[in-house]
Structures are given as structure tokens and as C-alpha cells.
Amino acid sequence: MMMAQQQQQYSSPFSHQNQPPQKQFDTGHGDQIHDCQYDYYGRRVATCSSDRTIKVFDTGTTMTTTTSGDGGGGGENVANHPPPQEAIVERANATTLTGHEGPVWQVSWAHPKFGALLASCSFDHTVMIWKETSSNVFSRVYVTPKGFFDGSVNAISWAPHEFGCAVAACSSDGSVAVISSNSNVAGGGWRSEKISNEAHAVGCTGVSWGQNDEIASCGCDNLCKIWTRGGAQEGGGGGESSNHNQHHHHNQQQQQQWRLKKELRGHSDWVRDVQWAPNNGGSNVQQIASCSQDGKVFIWTESNNNSSTNTANKDYHSVLLNDFKTAVWRLSWSVVGNVLAVSDANNQVSVWKESVDGAWTQIQSK
């Protein structure tokens, strides 16, 4: 199977003149590819497929060559006279991870503070955690117990790193679960707990862990739901606390029970994906994107008209981003959470940006 990849450059992503060229490479998968995820640094990419395997690739280092035949070509000559031939990308051989007994739907990298950890979920009713034990060698360190899920596990999402080493997962059996490392250290003991066995009727299709330590899920009941830990935490800033405070905070989290906070109603058919927007831009406003079989994408924004600091008392209002008139499958936010990519059943990917007046407009390629 062929896959397109863009070379990394440090110019503006909106500069068309400096837009990096697309590259294609053969993944070696023997069936349909369902997911592709870069790690935190963009140095490696993981893919998963219906062939029951996961593959991890180095994104490669770029080397420019010329075909003019004028010798080794010093750096000054290359800089002043760009070669007519595109840069060559050298990539290491893929590392293949096997163990799943069905199609693998999603893969997801943990934050690098926990080491090189990769989670995967599959039609075989399991979530697996993989750890790099030596260079390009991954070992499976955890598998959900047999019978923990009673259906295909359709989506996974790591918690923001300040909330510990944990990943949320959702299943066609209607449940949402959290899998976490007991010691808050990659490779330590792992435990699985259900948030709810009946989160969504018929089945759960998507899950996303927000930077406010809440989990959003969606499913075949046409709903999105927000789950929060029982007992609101006083204060914040976990990312700047000491190691002792982080460990104490992690233990507090594990002792708390998850509960349903809100139901988001607006879709008229199965909700296929839900994604919590990163707030790396510094905004405290919480936004969630959802997409559905009904062809619509909604942006849900936490209401600011309540003076209470208790987030449990706040509501969400929705804005229709667009009606695509066909099923919409997946969503992906930019790193700072102001640009949203949408993929639909017409094999199209569109990119949308929020303007200052709150309206969403499509970014047109040139």
C-alpha cells in the first residue's frame, strides 16, 4: 500500500511558495490502511491495517543531489543553484508489530515523557500497549484482559501528559474505558477500568481526552457525551507542579470515579468521531468537534455566560461548521486548536479555520 508523506520544513504552513512536496512510499501493508499517526516530534510515523499489523517508519532525513555532473557540489553551490531534482528522502526499514488477531483500527503515540509508547486498538476486542525497548525494537507490555471488551475496540486517545500515563478506549459493546500505568511510569504495572459499560447504546465509535482532564465519547445513539472525574479538583497547573505533587495528583485521580457530565445532542445519525481541541494557544475556552453519518460537523463550545468556576455547571452550545451532504468519518485538529481537518465519504479532506467573528471558513488550496 502506498502512502503520501510531506517533508518537514520550518517555513510557515500557509506559505504556498514554500509548501513541502508530497512524497509517496510503500508501507508494505497487505490490506487497507486505517490510521497513520506521527509521534510527538514528527520523527516517526505509525500505520495500522486490516492485515492485522502495525508498522513504524522513520520519517527520514533529506539529502539533496544534483544530476548536472559538476562534482561533489559544495553547500554554497547547492544553496545558490537549487538542483532540478527533488530532494531524496532516505527512510529506515519499517518495524512491524504483530499480535492483533483482527483489523487494527487506530494507533496513538503517548507523550515522550513516558518513553516511546504506542497504543493500538483492534476488531479483536483488545487494546495493546507497545514500548520501544531498544532502537526500533518494540515489545508488547500490556493487553487488555480477555473479555474486558465484548466487541471491537474502535478508538483510543492518550491523556494529556500532565494527567498521567493513561489512554481512553471505546468499544462496539457500548463501553468506554481507561487504561493506565499504576506507577505513572512507562512500562510499570497497568490497570483497566470501565468508565461506563453502557456509555452509548448499540456501540461507541470515538473517544477523545481533553486538556481539562475530561473525556468526550460518541456513538451509534447519535450522541456525544462528556465524562468527568467525581469531585472537582481545586486549582490547576499540574504541568508545573513538582514530581511529588504530580504523583499525589495522579493517586487522587485513580481514586476518583468517572461520571457523566453532559450529553451533546444535535446529530440525527451515528456520530463517527469526536475530537477535543487542544488549547495550546493559551485559551481557556473548551471546544469539541463532532462529525456524523448525517454529513454534519458541529463545533461545541463551552459557554462563558456562567460566572461559576465550577465547570460542571457550564453548558455547551453548537455551531454548524458545514453540512457535507455525505457521511463524515474523521476529524483532526491542528496543534494549537484553531484549524480543523475533515475527511468524508467522498474521499475528500478539507481544512477549516475559525475567523475572529466565530464563523468557520474553508481554507482553499492554491
Side-chain angles (χ1 to χ4, degrees):
M1 300 286 288
M2 298 298 293
M3 191 176 123
Q5 179 190 37
Q6 284 195 342
Q7 284 180 240
Q8 289 183 313
Q9 291 189 359
Y10 296 98
S11 56
S12 167
F14 299 107
S15 172
H16 299 292
Q17 293 178 345
N18 295 323
Q19 197 169 24
Q22 276 196 343
K23 299 292 181 182
Q24 286 190 338
F25 65 98
D26 189 352
T27 64
H29 281 299
D31 209 330
Q32 184 176 4
I33 299 171
H34 297 292
D35 198 14
C36 164
Q37 293 291 332
Y38 284 91
D39 69 0
Y40 181 84
Y41 297 109
R43 296 172 182 169
R44 287 189 290 199
V45 60
T47 61
C48 60
S49 167
S50 282
D51 66 7
R52 307 182 181 186
T53 69
I54 300 160
K55 292 182 182 289
V56 179
F57 302 85
D58 288 336
T59 55
T61 56
T62 60
M63 297 176 58
T64 56
T65 60
T66 62
T67 56
S68 59
D70 54 359
E76 181 179 355
N77 180 57
V78 173
N80 295 333
H81 305 283
Q85 189 174 354
E86 283 190 344
I88 297 174
V89 178
E90 292 186 348
R91 298 180 180 87
N93 293 331
T95 300
T96 301
L97 311 182
T98 60
H100 281 295
E101 298 178 356
V104 187
W105 302 130
Q106 282 191 16
V107 287
S108 182
W109 294 94
H111 191 276
K113 73 173 286 185
F114 303 113
L117 284 180
L118 182 68
S120 59
C121 64
S122 169
F123 181 78
D124 65 6
H125 304 189
T126 67
V127 172
M128 294 186 181
I129 309 294
W130 310 81
K131 180 185 178 183
E132 187 178 33
T133 53
S134 59
S135 180
N136 294 323
V137 176
F138 285 79
S139 300
R140 188 175 60 193
V141 295
Y142 182 75
V143 185
T144 46
K146 184 176 182 181
F148 182 76
F149 291 109
D150 193 29
S152 170
V153 186
N154 299 318
I156 47 178
S157 176
W158 286 96
H161 66 88
E162 58 266 33
F163 303 121
C165 185
V167 61
C170 68
S171 171
S172 292
D173 65 10
S175 69
V176 177
V178 170
I179 300 150
S180 58
S181 173
N182 280 333
S183 60
N184 201 23
V185 176
W190 294 83
R191 65 192 293 262
S192 300
E193 60 171 329
K194 290 286 183 71
I195 289 179
S196 172
N197 280 313
E198 299 177 347
H200 293 272
V202 185
C204 186
T205 54
V207 67
S208 179
W209 203 316
Q211 290 186 310
N212 58 350
D213 198 22
E214 293 181 341
I215 293 175
S217 63
C218 62
C220 304
D221 53 5
N222 307 348
L223 297 175
C224 298
K225 295 185 178 183
I226 300 175
W227 308 86
T228 190
R229 299 182 197 264
Q233 291 289 318
E234 296 278 336
E240 297 179 359
S241 62
S242 67
N243 290 335
H244 173 76
N245 289 336
Q246 285 182 346
H247 183 70
H248 176 69
H249 181 59
H250 176 73
N251 289 337
Q252 279 187 319
Q253 288 176 322
Q254 289 199 339
Q255 294 170 3
Q256 293 174 329
Q257 296 296 316
W258 290 90
R259 60 179 177 82
L260 179 63
K261 174 184 173 182
K262 296 290 182 185
E263 289 185 352
L264 306 182
R265 299 175 179 269
H267 290 290
S268 59
D269 208 335
W270 290 12
V271 185
R272 290 293 185 179
D273 196 15
V274 61
Q275 291 295 328
W276 218 298
N279 57 3
N280 293 340
S283 171
N284 291 323
V285 177
Q286 301 295 329
Q287 282 190 318
I288 301 170
S290 64
C291 65
S292 168
Q293 194 77 19
D294 64 12
K296 296 177 181 178
V297 174
F298 284 109
I299 306 296
W300 306 85
T301 304
E302 189 178 52
S303 204
N304 286 326
N305 56 10
N306 193 324
S307 60
S308 172
T309 58
N310 185 359
T311 59
N313 294 330
K314 294 188 177 181
D315 205 350
Y316 284 77
H317 67 271
S318 64
V319 171
L320 178 64
L321 180 141
N322 190 46
D323 185 350
F324 291 83
K325 308 299 183 183
T326 188
V328 183
W329 294 99
R330 295 286 294 274
L331 303 167
S332 181
W333 288 98
S334 65
V335 174
V336 295
N338 63 342
V339 175
L340 182 69
V342 181
S343 64
D344 62 44
N346 288 332
N347 297 327
Q348 298 294 318
V349 177
S350 56
V351 181
W352 301 76
K353 184 176 175 64
E354 186 179 18
S355 58
V356 291
D357 61 357
W360 288 83
T361 56
Q362 184 176 356
I363 299 175
Q364 302 291 340
S365 59
K366 295 182 180 178

